[in-house]
Amino acid sequence: MQNNQHKFDTKALHAGIEPDEATGAIMTPIYQTSTYAQPSPGVNKGYEYSRTQNPTRHALEKNLSALENGKYGLAFGSGLAAIDACMRLLKRGEEVISTNDLYGGSYRLFTKVHEQYGLKFRFTGMQNTSDVEALINKNTKMIWVETPTNPTMNIIDIEAFAIVAKKHKLLLVVDNTFASPYLQNPLDMGADIVMHSVTKYIGGHSDVVMGFLALNDDEIRAKLAFIQNSVGAVCGPMDAFLAIRGIKTLHLRMQRHCENGAKVAHWLKAHPKVDKVYWPGFESHPNHEVAKKQMRDFGGMISFSLKGDKMENAFDLLSRLSVFTLAESLGGVESLAGHPATMTHAALPKTEREKNGVTDSLIRLSVGVEHINDLLSDLEQAMS
Ligand code: P1T
């Protein structure tokens, strides 16, 4: 069923997914093959070698690009592999302006890998377009936006930066991992490429590491497919199958993530031991209006700090949790808690992370789909 005019919930199940031609199997088969028989040289059924094309991966790419309202999709071996492919669109000496509050692994890839090969990264808050415009020079080629940001949940105005990018002929790439395509579709707001760590909400079951790019431009698609095939940054067919299966319930899971997220955020805000709560659904959030404009709901990611900002208090709380699991990652059905300063954002120098609010007591929650009463009681007992 290819009809991309369907609503999100219908597309999640059906876009790009056809019953198997050979058997009628409803579920896309796992084409666990590296190669394909050719009747004669140069004659094939569209598949030659699985680094270049694989039918299970292809079905996932069609499905997920439809959810981002994109013409094309490319699935990678991880979120970072997808980000890396975007950077390989650029040449030595060219520059990227990126939000300064972003996943620590993205920061590490930019500063420790791509700077070595001659790319230059300029980091800024991205709360105003004028701060970004002040950094644009003749070498600037890309604006890298992550929104909501990891872990302090800043919201960046995608439409406003799409206008800046068009004006200066820059590529606008949006890391949409925290929102998922259910909450936000950056291509509709003028972004050139949308990037996902499929590992998170899209896969949804903490059983796959995968990345994804969706886009509309034919030329950029050809360049990215060339890079992906040349570098070999592809996901395997089994993982593509698991992602397809996960996506079938993305809309249902996201509804509960948002519902539980709102309740946990309000509960934390009222707690006497909690200092700051970072969640874009609060009217007091500095970018609440932008969040309302570009997101359909506010998601299940929340960060909070403790009064006194002591690392040992954060560690103590984290070790007492039992329904929330202390672990890296996010977006799975089960609730996770993390300590960004020593876990996901350990790659950032202390001064940099503290400037962005990643203080010693900051705790990040990925609120799952369990019963809300169990989540709140768990937090209550861990706090006391
Ligand atoms: O882990 P991987 O699939 O390679 O995705 C990297 C990535 C990219 N962008 C964002 C916003 C992310 O949050 C991540 C991965 N993040 C974690 C593992 C984490 O716990 O924050």
Side-chain angles (χ1 to χ4, degrees):
M1 203 183 298
Q2 296 289 354
N3 191 341
N4 285 352
Q5 303 312 313
H6 286 132
K7 302 273 187 245
F8 186 94
D9 310 23
T10 311
K11 286 199 288 186
L13 275 81
H14 296 295
I17 308 291
E18 301 287 349
D20 178 45
E21 265 185 36
T23 64
I26 285 285
M27 291 305 299
T28 308
I30 305 163
Y31 284 90
Q32 196 74 47
T33 183
S34 59
T35 193
Y36 307 84
Q38 304 185 14
S40 63
V43 180
N44 59 62
K45 297 181 176 176
Y47 298 96
E48 294 156 279
Y49 186 59
S50 277
R51 173 162 31 76
T52 322
Q53 318 99 342
N54 175 279
T56 318
R57 192 172 95 220
H58 196 200
L60 167 67
E61 290 172 342
K62 284 193 282 186
N63 179 248
L64 203 38
S65 55
L67 296 189
E68 279 294 6
N69 301 325
K71 203 162 144 194
Y72 303 115
L74 292 163
F76 290 79
S78 70
L80 282 172
I83 301 175
D84 177 72
C86 294
M87 294 308 140
R88 289 174 194 270
L89 291 168
L90 307 181
K91 293 195 220 43
R92 175 181 284 277
E94 293 184 336
E95 298 191 7
V96 179
I97 302 174
S98 165
T99 170
N100 55 7
D101 174 27
L102 82 168
Y103 171 53
S106 309
Y107 179 85
R108 182 179 54 203
L109 174 66
F110 295 166
T111 57
K112 297 280 191 288
V113 179
H114 283 289
E115 279 193 354
Q116 272 198 79
Y117 296 105
L119 294 189
K120 181 159 183 171
F121 295 86
R122 294 174 185 269
F123 297 95
T124 177
M126 293 205 177
Q127 296 305 303
N128 304 300
T129 51
S130 55
D131 294 348
V132 169
E133 288 204 275
L135 296 175
I136 296 175
N137 63 48
K138 64 177 184 359
N139 296 323
T140 313
K141 297 293 168 200
M142 184 183 283
I143 300 179
W144 187 272
V145 165
E146 186 179 298
T147 182
T149 60
N150 183 356
T152 48
M153 308 300 295
N154 282 313
I155 301 294
I156 294 164
D157 188 335
I158 299 171
E159 268 179 352
F161 282 99
I163 293 168
V164 173
K166 296 268 166 322
K167 180 171 150 199
H168 297 275
K169 299 193 168 55
L170 312 177
L171 283 176
L172 175 65
V173 190
V174 177
D175 182 338
N176 202 22
T177 299
F178 265 39
S180 89
Y182 178 77
L183 293 181
Q184 177 173 282
N185 295 120
L187 296 179
D188 294 347
M189 298 174 223
D192 298 291
I193 304 174
V194 51
M195 176 264 149
H196 280 285
S197 168
V198 175
T199 319
K200 309 300 180 318
Y201 285 110
I202 292 173
H205 296 77
S206 308
D207 52 9
V208 162
V209 173
M210 190 189 289
F212 192 75
L213 300 176
L215 68 161
N216 284 315
D217 187 89
D218 300 6
E219 210 176 302
I220 306 172
R221 193 261 166 204
K223 283 186 188 165
L224 285 168
F226 175 82
I227 291 167
Q228 184 185 43
N229 186 45
S230 305
V231 172
V234 294
C235 65
M238 178 71 192
D239 285 356
F241 171 85
L242 287 171
I244 292 172
R245 188 171 73 161
I247 292 168
K248 291 185 192 300
T249 55
L250 177 60
H251 51 300
L252 303 173
R253 290 184 279 109
M254 288 309 295
Q255 281 164 19
R256 179 63 81 84
H257 284 297
C258 291
E259 226 174 274
N260 281 355
K263 287 179 182 154
V264 170
H266 284 101
W267 185 90
L268 286 169
K269 203 171 187 193
H271 199 283
K273 290 191 179 163
V274 170
D275 184 16
K276 294 198 181 82
V277 185
Y278 300 90
W279 180 66
F282 291 132
E283 276 179 24
S284 56
H285 185 287
N287 304 111
H288 179 65
E289 289 307 314
V290 181
K292 273 203 319 202
K293 177 181 80 165
Q294 68 189 22
M295 297 173 74
R296 297 181 192 95
D297 204 335
F298 305 110
M301 293 303 299
I302 302 163
S303 295
F304 66 100
S305 59
L306 298 173
K307 287 198 177 134
D309 195 39
K310 292 211 173 68
M311 198 176 280
E312 64 262 33
N313 289 350
F315 278 21
D316 192 39
L317 192 161
L318 287 164
S319 60
R320 283 167 196 256
L321 289 168
S322 69
V323 180
F324 282 85
T325 304
L326 173 60
E328 301 255 356
S329 205
L330 59 113
V333 284
E334 62 288 305
S335 291
L336 300 183
H339 184 248
T342 55
M343 295 167 74
T344 49
H345 290 67
L348 267 80
K350 187 173 160 72
T351 47
E352 275 307 304
R353 66 172 169 79
E354 288 196 336
K355 254 195 264 168
N356 302 333
V358 185
T359 54
D360 285 350
S361 74
L362 192 80
I363 290 173
R364 191 188 74 181
L365 300 180
S366 169
V367 180
V369 304
E370 298 93 339
H371 196 286
I372 186 63
N373 293 359
D374 295 324
L375 295 178
L376 296 181
S377 332
D378 194 34
L379 289 168
E380 178 70 66
Q381 64 77 23
M383 291 268 197
S384 57

